[in-house]
């Protein structure tokens, strides 16, 4: 429990007082495979060039809140269809918070399949909006009858679909997603945080669905520290959502660094390509390891099930490898841990530590 003094107890919302704080474990000295970060940095020459670009900025000036150059660079490099606008966030987490606030009419509801990304529920609750979680099927696919029933009953203003889903790693069936778009009375956001690893997108389908918006982030492709997310949608929707955005939410350093990264996006694309290759090797090794059941992934992480999730997590940490224990997040995740796809060396260190923890012999570094 976090500390609470008398003043806080008198003035802070009771539900906030009850809330646990967002926990980020200390990763000092550990192989860090818990947060879907890209293990690679920009090459040295590009880092130098970026440093010069940032040094030339007028930090004494506010950002220009239209962010025209950044939006144009995103639209051009990410194939945003003509006629659609962008909403920028300080990470897509902020976009999730802004949308939750924007739809917070009395009696409104936000819906998402579960297990899913934790921020959907957390942001809905902070905005004072009811959150409805609809369980996935045991193979982590969407339960269309359950989704249809929940949509008919709750008439959600907003449905979140992470595609691929976190923490399960799969992309939901496209026909089922299309059906949800058809029956949902409100907005449906396809959260494509892992698009570079899935290599598939709903962005091109924006013109086909009036109630579709697509969200992406720079975080999982190597720029988690930058904090930049964006949402593409119809101009008449984005203009209203944009009123909720703090006017200077994207700072000038982020804006300039993101423009720079987009100019050099081939470098990040190549890193994503390497990670997709590493994902295959990591998945195959996990599938061969006795006592481990990995689930197929289209993201830069792999969910896997073991007999004793908490013990395995602790054994890995004791051997210097930090992953994520998601086993208590949802009943469908019983026994499940989530590992980020790292560099080859990191993946080998993880596999060796896992084999040692589970008491499995053999060489797990030959890929
Ligand atoms: C990581 C993640 C995000 C959040 O990304 P930020 O842009 O870093 O805030 C959003 N959605 C999903 C599904 C994620 O896994």
């Amino acid at each position: 429990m976090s500390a609470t003094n008398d003043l806080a107890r008198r003035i802070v919302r009771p539900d906030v007082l009850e809330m646990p704080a967002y926990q980020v474990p200390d990763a000092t000295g550990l192989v860090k495979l818990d947060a879907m970060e890209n293990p690679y940095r920009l090459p040295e020459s590009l880092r130098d060039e970026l440093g010069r670009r940032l040094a030339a900025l007028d930090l004494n000036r506010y950002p220009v809140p239209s962010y025209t150059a950044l939006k144009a660079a995103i639209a051009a490099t990410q194939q945003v269809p003509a006629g659609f606008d962008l909403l920028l966030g300080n990470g897509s987490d902020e976009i999730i918070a802004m949308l939750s606030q924007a739809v917070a009419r009395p009696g409104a509801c936000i819906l998402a399949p579960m297990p899913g990304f934790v921020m959907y529920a957390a942001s809905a609750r902070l905005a004072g909006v009811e959150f409805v979680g609809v369980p996935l099927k045991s193979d982590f696919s969407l339960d269309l009858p359950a989704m249809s029933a929940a949509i008919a009953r709750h008439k959600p203003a907003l449905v979140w679909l992470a595609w691929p889903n976190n923490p399960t790693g799969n992309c939901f069936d496209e026909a089922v997603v299309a059906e949800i778009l058809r029956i949902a009375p409100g907005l449906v956001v396809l959260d494509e945080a892992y698009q570079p690893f899935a290599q598939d997108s709903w962005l091109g389908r924006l013109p086909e669905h009036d109630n579709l918006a697509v969200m992406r982030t720079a975080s999982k492709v190597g720029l988690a520290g930058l904090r930049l997310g964006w949402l593409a949608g119809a101009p008449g929707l984005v203009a209203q959502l944009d009123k909720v955005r703090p006017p200077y939410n994207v700072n000038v350093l982020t804006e300039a660094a993101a423009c720079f990264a987009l100019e050099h996006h081939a470098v990040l694309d190549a890193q994503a390509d390497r990670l997709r290759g590493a994902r295959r090797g990591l998945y195959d090794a996990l599938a061969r390891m006795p006592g481990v059941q990995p689930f197929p992934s289209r993201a830069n992480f792999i969910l896997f099930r073991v007999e004793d999730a908490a013990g395995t997590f602790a054994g890995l940490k004791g051997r210097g490898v930090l992953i994520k224990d998601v086993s208590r997040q949802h009943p469908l995740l019983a026994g499940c841990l989530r590992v980020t796809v790292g560099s080859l060396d990191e993946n080998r260190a993880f596999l060796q530590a896992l084999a040692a923890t589970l008491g499995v012999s053999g060489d797990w570094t030959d890929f």
Side-chain angles (χ1 to χ4, degrees), residues 91-93 117 120 162 166 191 193-194 217 219-220 227:
S92 41
D93 281 356
F117 187 46
Y120 304 149
N166 173 9
D191 178 351
Y194 300 98
T217 174
S219 295
K220 311 294 159 55
R227 309 307 299 132

Side-chain angles (χ1 to χ4, degrees), residues 289-290 312 319 351-362 364:
M289 198 177 284
T312 305
R319 291 172 173 84
L351 287 168
Q352 275 183 304
L354 182 62
T357 300
L358 298 175
V360 170
S361 61
W364 299 95

Side-chain angles (χ1 to χ4, degrees), residues 144 147-149 151-152 178-186 211:
L144 184 56
M147 289 292 284
S148 304
I151 288 170
E179 179 61 9
I180 288 170
L181 278 158
R182 198 182 65 76
I183 62 177
N211 58 341

Side-chain angles (χ1 to χ4, degrees), residues 142-277:
L142 283 172
D143 185 340
L144 184 56
M147 289 292 284
S148 304
I151 288 170
R153 171 149 179 241
H154 297 282
K155 301 181 178 54
L158 174 55
V159 175
W160 294 108
L161 295 175
W163 203 83
N165 189 40
N166 173 9
T168 57
N170 56 314
C171 283
F172 300 130
D173 184 90
E174 296 187 24
V176 176
V177 173
E179 179 61 9
I180 288 170
L181 278 158
R182 198 182 65 76
I183 62 177
L187 177 65
V188 178
V189 179
L190 270 282
D191 178 351
E192 298 189 347
Y194 300 98
Q195 185 275 336
F197 310 103
Q199 291 189 291
D200 209 347
S201 176
W202 285 80
L203 204 49
R205 289 173 258 193
L206 277 174
E208 297 165 28
H209 305 276
D210 290 343
N211 58 341
L212 169 65
V214 175
M215 187 169 74
R216 298 248 188 103
T217 174
S219 295
K220 311 294 159 55
V221 287
L223 301 167
L226 215 53
R227 309 307 299 132
L228 181 71
W230 50 269
L231 176 117
L237 172 72
V238 170
Q240 298 307 315
L241 299 174
D242 202 53
K243 295 178 186 171
V244 181
R245 184 178 59 81
Y248 306 118
N249 63 331
V250 175
N251 71 74
V252 294
L253 295 167
T254 293
E255 183 186 19
C259 285
F260 181 84
L262 288 167
E263 285 165 35
H264 299 280
H265 70 91
V267 174
L268 299 179
D269 294 346
Q271 292 178 349
D273 188 50
R274 272 169 85 181
L275 290 168
R276 287 194 303 270

Side-chain angles (χ1 to χ4, degrees), residues 49-100:
E49 200 181 325
L50 174 61
R52 285 192 294 277
R53 182 95 57 105
L54 297 182
L57 294 172
D58 294 327
L59 291 182
N60 53 321
R61 300 290 177 200
Y62 283 106
V64 179
S66 53
Y67 298 104
T68 324
L70 176 54
K71 286 184 186 173
I74 292 171
T77 58
Q78 312 293 301
Q79 284 89 43
V80 177
F84 289 85
D85 270 359
L86 293 170
L87 173 72
L88 300 183
N90 191 317
S92 41
D93 281 356
E94 191 187 40
I95 296 179
I96 297 169
M98 291 190 291
L99 264 57
S100 304

